[in-house]
Every structure is written in C-alpha cells, then in structure tokens.
Amino acid sequence: MPSKPTTMKHNASVDIKVDKAPSSRIDSVDFENLKFGSIFSDHMMECDYKNGAWAPPVIRPYGKIELEPSAKVFHYGQAVFEGMKAFKDDNDQIWLFRPDENFRRINLSSKRLAIPEIPEEYFFTGLEELLKLDKAWIKKGFGNSLYIRPFVIATEAGVLATPGSEYKFMIICSPAKSYYTGEVRVQISEKFSRAADGGVGAAKAAGNYGAQFYPTNLAKEAGFQQIIWTDASTHDFLEEAGTMNVFFRINDTLVTAPTSDRILDGVTRKSILTLAEANGIEAEVRRVTVKEILEAAKNGTLKEIFGAGTAAVINPIQGFGYKGEKFELPEITDSYAAFFKDKLMKIQYNLAEDEFGWRYLVKE
Ligand SMILES: Cc1ncc(COP(=O)(O)O)c(C=O)c1O
C-alpha cells in the first residue's frame, strides 16, 4: 500500500505557545452519531493581528472568545473562512488533502475583503500542531475525518466603516462521518443571485453564505434541498451550488462552469478535472446554459448532475426544478459521481497511489 509522504515543506520552526486542556472531552462524544459541524475538538488555534503584524499562533482549549460589541466583524462582515479535512490511515498517520490550495484561497479571500494575509508558516505550523494535539479526534476508517475550519475576523472595536486594524485568525476542528445528505433535488435560481461580476463570489466570505439562507429557505418550502445559482445578469447560465461546484454529465461528457470572480475555485472541482483527464473522461469547462440542461433532461442525454466540495466530496443530485417544472434524473450504474468519489477518497485516506502529489503528511 502506498504511503509515500509527498509534501513536507511547511514544517518551518515557529514557536507556538500551547496551553493544554486539563482533560479531554472525547469520551463524551458519540462518534457513530455525529451531526456535521456541531462538536469541536479539545483545542483551537488563535493568532492575532495588531500594530501591522500577525503574532505567532497560540493553541489553547476550545472555548469562548471575547469581543467588543463594536468589533467590525459584527457590523461590516469582514470575515473569511476555509473548509478542509484531516484523515487518518491504517498506520495512524495524519493526512491533509491539497492544503496549499486552502492556504492560497484564504489569503485570496482575505485580500478581497481588505484583511491582512496570513503568513504561510503560521497557517501550517499552527494547523499541524493543533492536529497533532487533537490526533485522537481523527478516527480511522473510510469516511471518518476531522473537518477543519480556519477563519479570520475583524476584531477592532469601533463602528467607523473602514477596514479593521486588528484581526483574529483561528482554526477549530470538528469530527465528521461520511457526509450523506439523503436525496438531493435542486432548484435552478430564476430570480435571486449568489454573486455578481466584480463582487465577492470567488471569496469564501461569510456574507456569501448568509445571503443564501433566505432564497434557500424558499427553495426548501418548494420541496428542494439546495439551489443551483445562475448568473446575476441573465439567469441563463448555471454556476454553482451553495457550498459545492456543480458538474453535469451529458451523454459521457462532463461539463462544468469556468471559475470566475463569481464562482469559488473549488479544490474538489479542480481535482475532478485532473482525474477526468487522467482517466480518459472527456470534460468541458465552459459556460453551461439552463436551456441545454433542460433539453438534455428532456431528450434523455442528461445522465448525471453532482456537486463537488470538501464536506461531501461528491454529492449526487437526483432531480431539479425550474420555473415550476420538475425533472428527475435516471438511475445509473456506471456513475461518474461514484467513480470520482472513490478515486478521491482513496487518495485522501492513503489507500491509492498519490499520482499528483495531493496528499500532505502531518509529520510527527
Ligand atoms: C460556494 C462554494 N463553492 C464550491 C465549494 C467547493 O470547494 P472545495 O472543493 O474547495 O471544498 C465550496 C466549499 O468550500 C463553496 O463554499
């Protein structure tokens, strides 16, 4: 079985202050019945920005933080985040999947929101120390993982509408089981938009998610679980879902929208495109019209729709609705969704060759 560590360039020497929890909460957790993102591991990482510089990371027991009610994050939404996972293999080694991409993206998101960028060594050393400390929270077994949530918020007190001069970068971790959402049917958006040209759609900015809750509630009332967002100006082009990029399979060709300043550059999406090429699956990155998907659904050439993102890896979509009409997708035996999910997960869990150097060993 392959276990070649691929990347280790981030184990830079940064002095991290660690305040260990006096006891672990792990024995009180029912790992068989985890609700996604609701329980957090024993420790968290914290890094403060003040007087124009980031201070080295500090690790302390997971717990409350104190902020002034006037802290800018509450008023102007200067908040960005990331979503990643840690996996444990049969030999108790901890692995991350393409963490450089998350590091790059959190700083791109930060830049767009006028938040100072995080130094690479603080991100990686802080994260790795935290994972080593809370290693017991990463359970072995295909589908088990520790969901990692890095985020940055503006903490400076004061309601003047300008970027803050003080920030907090934190990492918290939540144990997760294989993410199964049940059957997913999506509504194609006709009126509401997630992002616009020149806006913050490509950033993992907190406000992008808050703004989706109301239209998503309406979609739920209409019998759907999620929305596929369309472009803000014409609503003719399919873009992405709430927390996933979206792929369509027409006949045997995979089609997905290009990333832009409206669409998140997903790590899962780009990995699927690489795997498609390596496995002889034709993939087109181009604008996808609502019209062609409706036609393909009607003439039987639309074989699959699936979402791609860190939480679920791949989320098959069983049907969709548009302008009051509902469409169901056929049952399929040679599913691309299942193929890519298996390929990706085997790389993540160190069960397959890491052909592209995506796996990252957390060195102990
Ligand atoms: C809006 C949006 N699109 C796509 C994705 C998928 O990105 P990734 O594969 O990097 O998790 C996410 C989740 O991070 C997201 O929030």
Side-chain angles (χ1 to χ4, degrees), residues 314-344:
I314 307 272
N315 207 336
I317 291 168
Q318 277 77 26
F320 67 93
Y322 182 65
K323 294 198 169 157
E325 241 188 306
K326 290 191 175 171
F327 300 84
E328 284 292 305
L329 291 171
E331 294 253 341
I332 191 155
T333 47
D334 65 334
S335 148
Y336 281 179
F339 173 81
F340 287 118
K341 185 167 187 170
D342 186 66
K343 281 260 174 217
L344 279 171

Side-chain angles (χ1 to χ4, degrees), residues 105 194 204 209 240-245 264 266-268 308-310:
R105 196 168 63 187
R194 177 189 172 272
K204 270 185 94 71
Y209 299 81
E240 66 175 324
T243 57
M244 298 186 296
N245 295 108
L264 198 84
V267 181
T268 319
T310 297

Side-chain angles (χ1 to χ4, degrees), residues 337-358:
F339 173 81
F340 287 118
K341 185 167 187 170
D342 186 66
K343 281 260 174 217
L344 279 171
M345 287 180 68
K346 282 191 173 141
I347 295 174
Q348 292 173 336
Y349 287 82
N350 191 26
L351 292 168
E353 196 62 56
D354 183 20
E355 228 185 302
F356 309 103
W358 289 341

